[in-house]
Amino acid sequence: MLLPTASAPPRRRGRVLQQALRDAVRSGRLATGTRLPASRELAADLGVSRGLITEAYEQLTAEGYLSSVRGSGTWVGGAVRTATATATATATATATEPVVAVPPDSPALDFRPGVPDLSLFPRAAWSAAHRRALARLPHRGLGYPDPRGLPELRSALAALLSRRRGVVADPERVVVCSGVAQALTLLGFVLSAEGQRAVAVEDPGSPEHTGLFASTGLRTVPVPLDAEGPRLDALAASGAQTALLTPAHQFPSGIACSPARRSALLAWARGVDGLLIEDDYDGDFRYDRAPVGALQGLDPDRVAYAGSVSKSLAPGLRLGWLVVPEALADAVTVRKRTLDLGHPVLDQWALADFVARGDYDRHLRRCQRAYRARRDALTSALAALCPDAEVTGIAAGLHAIVTLPEAYGPRERLLERARRAGVAVRPLSHYLSAARNGIHEADGRVRLVLGYAHLPPGDIERAVSLLVPPSAGR
Amino acid sequence: MLLPTASAPPRRRGRVLQQALRDAVRSGRLATGTRLPASRELAADLGVSRGLITEAYEQLTAEGYLSSVRGSGTWVGGAVRTATATATATATATATEPVVAVPPDSPALDFRPGVPDLSLFPRAAWSAAHRRALARLPHRGLGYPDPRGLPELRSALAALLSRRRGVVADPERVVVCSGVAQALTLLGFVLSAEGQRAVAVEDPGSPEHTGLFASTGLRTVPVPLDAEGPRLDALAASGAQTALLTPAHQFPSGIACSPARRSALLAWARGVDGLLIEDDYDGDFRYDRAPVGALQGLDPDRVAYAGSVSKSLAPGLRLGWLVVPEALADAVTVRKRTLDLGHPVLDQWALADFVARGDYDRHLRRCQRAYRARRDALTSALAALCPDAEVTGIAAGLHAIVTLPEAYGPRERLLERARRAGVAVRPLSHYLSAARNGIHEADGRVRLVLGYAHLPPGDIERAVSLLVPPSAGR
């Protein structure tokens, strides 16, 4: 608010103040519904007497610009028709809904993959960790952070990833970031600056990768899979020096990369003097067998390892990590610095504390139990209602691939029936490159990617009965 | 940790487990000092019997790989000499010190500009805001956020900036980001993608800008100042379509851009179909006069407005905002999404709550009182000890420009004397482009940029007496 200098006569100041308030309301700068500060506070802010403010509030309330309730304060709004009030109100209403796991217009039962059950988030333990962080960190710890992340968190993550995932993680090579997407953006910028132009990605794979890498100047080259993992002939033909992989549990097919293919992929990387990027997106969840260790542990100089708490705690925390080969560590740190000067410190302290106290391991065990039960609910329901369906990729992760018998197809008919029944499903073809879209259904069978972790077992059973009713498979 | 499948005989699994632990310790993958999980927890994680784990721990403790204290747990370390333990320990020790406002090897009295007093951070109120956020937000609020920021925070910021700074802030055009550095990076990427190649920056100005914009493909063109603000002839000659400005309180000179120059700058932007970026880095702190409103309020379609809590609360929160012209809003949002998928949600909820409850205004008033007292301590000490010094740029902000009489120079002698006395100061020339370095001392007088906000008044008086002792000015 622009006021004349303190030396102007009070009456003039009062007039100017009132006019400024009127203009602000009319133009929509002060939106309808905005609560105005208490007169005492605004007076202190503007360096004027409180009387000047109360007079202005009363005048504008009388004029219909403001409304007030005794003892409750003063709001913008009343008779005035503001320039942008309607537009703003409408736009805000549509934006009130953040982009969440299940958008409000989506079906009641959504088999969206890659979404954890947010009701399992350990609110009390996380709140306690945050409170301890605020109680303990020294004042200077509130200053600009090390762009790589707090040393305490990098050490805690190095020990955690070493123990849980077999990652060779020197804290000096851990970079705390906001998640796997930022990890890929950071690497993309660094590789692009080195002169690389392309990154090989798995096909099927996440549709997000092309956009992420494009923002860093790299194009993506899809590489098809066979039963053991990404095909080496296609990788060799890609012309890329970098490949993004999900070796522990391929997204979305669920294939675990075979030991032989792991060796061959590393040999390829060494041969082209290149890099493998390991996205360990759901490495924390294994149900039937001992965990498959990270590929990174086999050759930490050829593999950059990325992970986050998005599947284990909550995507909204925006907390992840990147373990980089020594040769890239400095360049990645410089990029992290220019992108955001480092991650918020209180969240970092809280996660370091949460991991160090064993709360993270405890939470993972709790989720693992819940998700295993949901996976079992999905497989049991399918076995009962559609015994000919094949269910694969279920040893780990938060989703499964379900191949339905030919009678349930073709794809469009199945999807339309599911939509009408209020069940959202995504065909595997959704994750295929344009060139290969449909190839997975050459045998006439529809393959679906079903995320189950966020759905209670009862919902899973109901959704399956709606998806494959007895009438549909004939 | 890689273990044979659950079907392997227990004895073999025990042997493999022990060997894996030995290798992990020897190679440094499990660093000395790492605390191992409780046997019960590790057993659950690996899906083996607890006996297998306790046996392995006992065996390796006996062998000197591990050490344990009854009732306290088991740690890596003992007799074993690990591959990288020494290197890691050293590296961690040097990295234990995050990059903070005052690095540990710096002088006791550092007039570093742009640093708030972190001891004023409202820990209790912030902790309460965070706790309320965790108690109240719905489960789905923990999912991926709107990349622009939570609607609740964007509305709170729009009202705050409108009221305090005269910003025309439709919540739809507010983008929550990690601070002004990220705001500049976001805009840099967008303008670079539009084909722009250069950004005009103020000279003197922040030395960080060149690197930030270079990371987005833009070079910076320094534009000298006169008493009213950036010089228009130099701006016109720059060839740039975008200019980064600090109109309310130029950094570091402290000049407030004159009303005539504000109009002329906007006319320039319209003439070249360009953009002004307003960095309102310390707009919250005014001491003697009513606040100068934001330039953005004069033409929201030609000015992008950036600010943060780095000076008002703490840089470690990494929270800021960008208010963008409508024409750029979508492109900035897309960039924000590829950089980090949006800001952490709990911090956003906490800030929205903190602002909405009036805690932010209260905190600013408290800081303003403290910083005004420190500014007064600086000007009084200088008036007493060096009455011929000129002190400028003191109506606002966290720093002042002090021009010392010729007798205190030349620059190198002054800086050396200050260094020996344990006082860190930065000459204004530090903030000048290479081409103009030294020009501000053509009259033989040294100009210093003295940040005072983080120093208690007693320290300020002591530092001034060390900087301009009676013996020096003769």
Side-chain angles (χ1 to χ4, degrees):
Chain A
M1 204 172 293
L2 296 167
L3 278 183
T5 56
S7 57
R11 173 169 297 185
R12 197 181 141 232
R13 303 195 82 207
R15 271 203 317 273
V16 172
L17 171 67
Q18 293 174 21
Q19 192 52 48
L21 273 171
R22 269 185 218 100
D23 289 349
V25 173
R26 265 200 224 103
S27 68
R29 267 166 52 193
L30 279 175
T32 302
T34 301
R35 184 180 178 161
L36 293 174
S39 54
R40 189 173 42 79
E41 295 181 6
L42 186 58
D45 277 346
L46 298 177
V48 301
S49 76
R50 187 173 170 191
L52 219 60
I53 305 291
T54 51
E55 196 186 320
Y57 280 10
E58 285 166 14
Q59 180 65 26
L60 270 78
T61 303
E63 292 175 9
Y65 287 88
L66 306 179
S67 57
S68 67
V69 175
R70 195 157 189 88
S72 273
T74 305
W75 285 267
V76 175
V80 64
R81 181 184 175 87
T82 64
T84 56
T86 316
T88 305
T90 312
T92 308
T94 59
T96 303
E97 217 49 64
V99 180
V100 291
V102 182
D105 60 342
S106 70
L109 297 164
D110 189 343
F111 277 118
R112 176 180 290 247
V115 183
D117 184 343
L118 297 171
S119 75
L120 296 177
F121 184 78
R123 293 190 186 221
W126 188 259
S127 188
H130 195 271
R131 202 162 53 244
R132 278 192 298 271
L134 256 175
R136 291 183 190 167
L137 98 163
H139 291 319
R140 68 174 179 197
L142 289 163
Y144 287 101
D146 184 331
R148 293 176 300 176
L150 296 183
E152 292 79 357
L153 178 56
R154 287 187 284 119
S155 295
L157 289 173
L160 177 83
L161 297 173
S162 167
R163 172 164 59 77
R164 288 194 76 92
R165 305 293 300 125
V167 169
V168 178
D170 180 344
E172 295 302 297
R173 282 156 59 174
V174 175
V175 178
V176 175
C177 56
S178 78
V180 172
Q182 186 175 64
L184 299 183
T185 306
L186 286 167
L187 288 170
F189 279 125
V190 167
L191 299 172
S192 186
E194 280 184 0
Q196 294 196 30
R197 288 291 158 260
V199 175
V201 296
E202 295 168 329
D203 187 10
S206 165
E208 295 284 335
H209 292 151
T210 298
L212 280 182
F213 282 117
S215 77
T216 70
L218 298 173
R219 69 192 161 81
T220 48
V221 185
V223 169
L225 311 173
D226 60 26
E228 295 193 57
R231 270 172 44 192
L232 281 163
D233 55 343
L235 188 56
S238 72
Q241 277 178 280
T242 300
L244 171 60
L245 309 170
T246 49
H249 185 239
Q250 202 275 333
F251 185 84
S253 75
I255 294 171
C257 196
S258 74
R261 189 60 54 87
R262 290 170 157 241
S263 297
L265 289 165
L266 286 167
W268 170 82
R270 292 183 201 113
V272 298
D273 192 16
L275 179 75
L276 303 178
I277 304 174
E278 177 172 23
D279 175 0
D280 200 24
Y281 70 104
D282 65 1
D284 287 313
F285 301 109
R286 305 288 136 180
Y287 306 119
D288 308 316
R289 52 174 167 77
V292 181
L295 184 63
Q296 191 265 6
L298 300 177
D299 193 342
D301 290 325
R302 287 289 168 204
V303 184
Y305 174 92
S308 78
V309 304
S310 294
K311 308 283 184 285
S312 55
L313 283 167
L317 293 183
R318 308 305 313 121
L319 250 171
W321 43 84
L322 177 60
V323 184
V324 283
E326 194 166 5
L328 296 175
D330 288 346
V332 167
T333 303
V334 167
R335 274 287 164 178
K336 174 66 180 165
R337 193 169 180 285
T338 60
L339 289 192
D340 53 24
L341 300 186
H343 205 79
V345 293
L346 293 174
D347 297 346
Q348 292 194 64
W349 278 91
L351 182 61
D353 179 271
F354 196 76
V355 169
R357 296 171 72 92
D359 285 340
Y360 191 68
D361 287 293
R362 261 186 292 281
H363 176 66
L364 287 175
R365 280 195 293 277
R366 186 174 164 222
C367 291
Q368 174 124 337
R369 278 194 299 274
Y371 297 162
R372 184 193 279 126
R374 290 163 194 201
R375 182 204 60 167
D376 293 347
L378 176 68
T379 51
S380 304
L382 281 165
L385 292 168
C386 183
D388 293 336
E390 279 174 34
V391 190
T392 52
I394 53 173
L398 312 180
H399 73 273
I401 302 290
V402 175
T403 305
L404 294 175
E406 210 170 332
Y408 288 88
R411 190 209 307 171
E412 296 316 322
R413 194 173 69 111
L414 175 79
L415 295 179
E416 176 59 19
R417 199 180 58 237
R419 199 187 61 71
R420 287 198 195 161
V423 180
V425 291
R426 289 149 196 83
L428 182 59
S429 56
H430 177 72
Y431 301 90
L432 284 166
S433 64
R436 299 182 60 248
N437 199 314
I439 201 168
H440 276 237
E441 288 159 26
D443 60 0
R445 302 197 293 170
V446 184
R447 286 161 182 81
L448 300 175
V449 180
L450 300 186
Y452 53 78
H454 59 296
L455 297 173
D459 280 7
I460 292 172
E461 284 152 22
R462 195 154 55 88
V464 168
S465 71
L466 292 166
L467 187 64
V468 288
S471 59
R474 283 181 300 208
Chain B
M1 204 170 293
L2 297 167
L3 278 183
T5 55
S7 57
R11 174 169 296 185
R12 198 181 139 231
R13 304 194 82 205
R15 271 203 316 273
V16 173
L17 171 67
Q18 293 174 22
Q19 192 52 47
L21 273 171
R22 270 186 217 101
D23 289 350
V25 174
R26 266 200 222 103
S27 69
R29 267 166 52 192
L30 279 174
T32 302
T34 302
R35 186 179 176 162
L36 293 175
S39 54
R40 189 172 41 80
E41 295 180 6
L42 186 58
D45 277 344
L46 299 177
V48 301
S49 76
R50 186 172 171 193
L52 218 60
I53 306 291
T54 51
E55 196 186 321
Y57 279 12
E58 285 168 12
Q59 180 65 28
L60 269 79
T61 303
E63 292 174 7
Y65 287 88
L66 305 178
S67 56
S68 68
V69 175
R70 194 158 189 89
S72 275
T74 305
W75 285 268
V76 174
V80 65
R81 182 184 176 86
T82 64
T84 57
T86 316
T88 305
T90 311
T92 308
T94 59
T96 303
E97 217 52 62
V99 180
V100 292
V102 182
D105 60 342
S106 69
L109 297 164
D110 189 343
F111 277 117
R112 175 180 290 248
V115 183
D117 184 343
L118 296 171
S119 75
L120 296 177
F121 184 78
R123 293 190 187 223
W126 189 258
S127 188
H130 195 271
R131 202 163 51 245
R132 277 192 298 271
L134 256 175
R136 290 182 191 168
L137 96 164
H139 291 316
R140 68 174 180 197
L142 289 162
Y144 288 100
D146 184 331
R148 293 175 301 176
L150 296 184
E152 292 80 358
L153 178 57
R154 287 186 285 119
S155 294
L157 289 174
L160 178 83
L161 297 173
S162 167
R163 172 165 58 79
R164 288 194 75 92
R165 306 292 300 124
V167 169
V168 178
D170 179 343
E172 295 302 297
R173 282 156 58 173
V174 175
V175 178
V176 175
C177 56
S178 79
V180 172
Q182 186 175 65
L184 299 184
T185 306
L186 286 168
L187 288 170
F189 279 125
V190 168
L191 299 172
S192 186
E194 280 184 0
Q196 295 197 28
R197 289 291 159 260
V199 175
V201 296
E202 295 168 329
D203 186 12
S206 165
E208 295 284 334
H209 293 151
T210 298
L212 280 183
F213 282 118
S215 77
T216 70
L218 298 172
R219 71 193 160 81
T220 49
V221 186
V223 169
L225 313 173
D226 60 25
E228 294 193 59
R231 270 172 45 192
L232 280 163
D233 55 344
L235 188 55
S238 71
Q241 276 179 279
T242 300
L244 172 59
L245 308 170
T246 50
H249 186 241
Q250 202 275 331
F251 184 85
S253 75
I255 295 170
C257 197
S258 73
R261 190 61 53 87
R262 291 171 157 241
S263 298
L265 288 165
L266 287 167
W268 170 81
R270 292 183 201 111
V272 298
D273 192 16
L275 180 75
L276 302 179
I277 305 174
E278 177 171 25
D279 175 1
D280 201 25
Y281 70 104
D282 64 2
D284 288 312
F285 301 108
R286 304 288 136 180
Y287 305 120
D288 309 316
R289 52 176 167 78
V292 180
L295 183 63
Q296 191 266 5
L298 300 177
D299 193 344
D301 289 325
R302 287 289 169 203
V303 184
Y305 174 91
S308 78
V309 303
S310 293
K311 309 283 184 282
S312 56
L313 284 167
L317 292 184
R318 309 304 315 118
L319 250 171
W321 43 82
L322 178 60
V323 185
V324 283
E326 195 167 2
L328 296 175
D330 288 345
V332 166
T333 304
V334 167
R335 274 287 164 179
K336 174 66 180 165
R337 192 169 182 284
T338 61
L339 289 193
D340 53 23
L341 300 187
H343 205 79
V345 294
L346 293 174
D347 297 346
Q348 292 194 65
W349 278 92
L351 182 62
D353 179 271
F354 196 77
V355 168
R357 297 171 73 92
D359 285 340
Y360 191 69
D361 288 291
R362 262 186 291 280
H363 176 67
L364 287 175
R365 280 196 293 276
R366 187 175 164 221
C367 291
Q368 174 125 337
R369 280 193 299 274
Y371 297 162
R372 184 193 280 124
R374 290 164 194 201
R375 182 203 61 167
D376 293 346
L378 176 68
T379 51
S380 304
L382 281 165
L385 293 168
C386 183
D388 293 337
E390 279 174 35
V391 189
T392 52
I394 53 173
L398 312 179
H399 73 275
I401 302 290
V402 175
T403 305
L404 294 175
E406 211 171 331
Y408 288 88
R411 190 210 305 170
E412 295 316 323
R413 195 172 69 109
L414 175 81
L415 295 180
E416 176 60 20
R417 200 180 58 239
R419 199 188 61 73
R420 287 198 194 160
V423 180
V425 291
R426 289 148 195 85
L428 182 58
S429 56
H430 177 71
Y431 300 90
L432 284 166
S433 65
R436 299 182 60 249
N437 199 314
I439 202 168
H440 276 238
E441 288 159 25
D443 60 0
R445 301 198 295 173
V446 184
R447 285 160 180 82
L448 300 175
V449 180
L450 301 186
Y452 53 77
H454 59 296
L455 297 172
D459 280 7
I460 292 173
E461 284 152 21
R462 195 155 55 89
V464 168
S465 70
L466 291 167
L467 187 64
V468 289
S471 59
R474 283 180 300 208

